[in-house]
Amino acid sequence: MKNYQKLAVATAGVALSFATIETNSAQAAIITYDFTVDVTTGSLTDTQYQGFFSYDDSTLTASGVESVGIAEGLSISFDFLGVTYTEADDYLVDFGFPFVEFNQGSLVGLQYTVSNNAIFSIFGDNPNGLGGGDQFNYIDETSFEVGNGSVTYSLRPASVSVPEPSAVFGLGILGFGWLVRTKFGLRR
């Protein structure tokens, strides 16, 4: 009877570890995209500017058109003309801007407009009405000349590697098999 008690305890331990794994795999992740603005027209032609944005992906379903704004944890840092701008600098911040837009789980782009210290906008020109995108416009405050550019995005690699639940499951089964084999003398 003692062997059956050990088997029951081992089985309960494995079951609890799987329940814990399932709970942890449902947690949200902070996703970060780096972006580069390449200016192609106007007084800033042939210059580049860098930035990044981060957000909590817990509200995204990868279905249809979705957006993430400040309320969902969006933060932005963009260096333009020696000044670092954040999400709080968007002139429509009181109306739900800026935001990052997705279509079927794929990044469409950022919708972000600043009109203090400098005037610039990152937006989309999608005919389907999507606001986020890969277009950049600015106004030179000395000449009032309008310039344009493009925006490219790259997903920043995650800094922590988490094993897939299927790998942990497989290792758990192997460990359980070893435990049964050694504890109950099931040797060949």
Side-chain angles (χ1 to χ4, degrees), residues 78-102:
F78 178 53
D79 294 321
F80 183 64
L81 298 175
V83 177
T84 300
Y85 296 91
T86 71
E87 66 281 357
D89 293 311
D90 192 303
Y91 84 100
L92 293 173
V93 71
D94 294 334
F95 301 100
F97 290 84
F99 61 85
V100 177
E101 200 158 42
F102 301 86

Side-chain angles (χ1 to χ4, degrees), residues 9-159:
V9 169
T11 303
V14 170
L16 285 174
S17 70
F18 291 147
T20 303
I21 291 166
E22 186 60 35
T23 301
N24 289 341
S25 67
Q27 291 179 345
I30 302 300
I31 307 297
T32 301
Y33 277 87
D34 294 307
F35 63 91
T36 300
V37 169
D38 290 301
V39 180
T40 55
T41 66
S43 61
L44 301 175
T45 298
D46 295 329
T47 59
Q48 282 191 336
Y49 300 93
Q50 312 294 322
F52 69 90
F53 59 85
S54 298
Y55 61 92
D56 180 338
D57 74 343
S58 65
T59 61
L60 297 175
T61 64
S63 176
V65 175
E66 300 176 283
S67 63
V68 173
I70 295 173
E72 294 81 22
L74 176 65
S75 64
I76 299 171
S77 178
F78 178 53
D79 294 321
F80 183 64
L81 298 175
V83 177
T84 300
Y85 296 91
T86 71
E87 66 281 357
D89 293 311
D90 192 303
Y91 84 100
L92 293 173
V93 71
D94 294 334
F95 301 100
F97 290 84
F99 61 85
V100 177
E101 200 158 42
F102 301 86
N103 190 5
Q104 302 297 335
S106 295
L107 176 68
V108 174
L110 180 62
Q111 173 71 47
Y112 182 49
T113 303
V114 171
S115 65
N116 58 347
N117 295 333
I119 300 172
F120 64 85
S121 183
I122 297 173
F123 64 99
D125 62 352
N126 189 309
N128 296 327
L130 300 177
D134 59 0
Q135 304 296 307
F136 179 77
N137 285 344
Y138 70 94
I139 297 175
D140 184 315
E141 292 188 319
T142 55
S143 68
F144 298 106
E145 178 183 14
V146 175
N148 300 299
S150 62
V151 183
T152 54
Y153 301 96
S154 78
L155 179 61
R156 189 180 290 177
S159 60

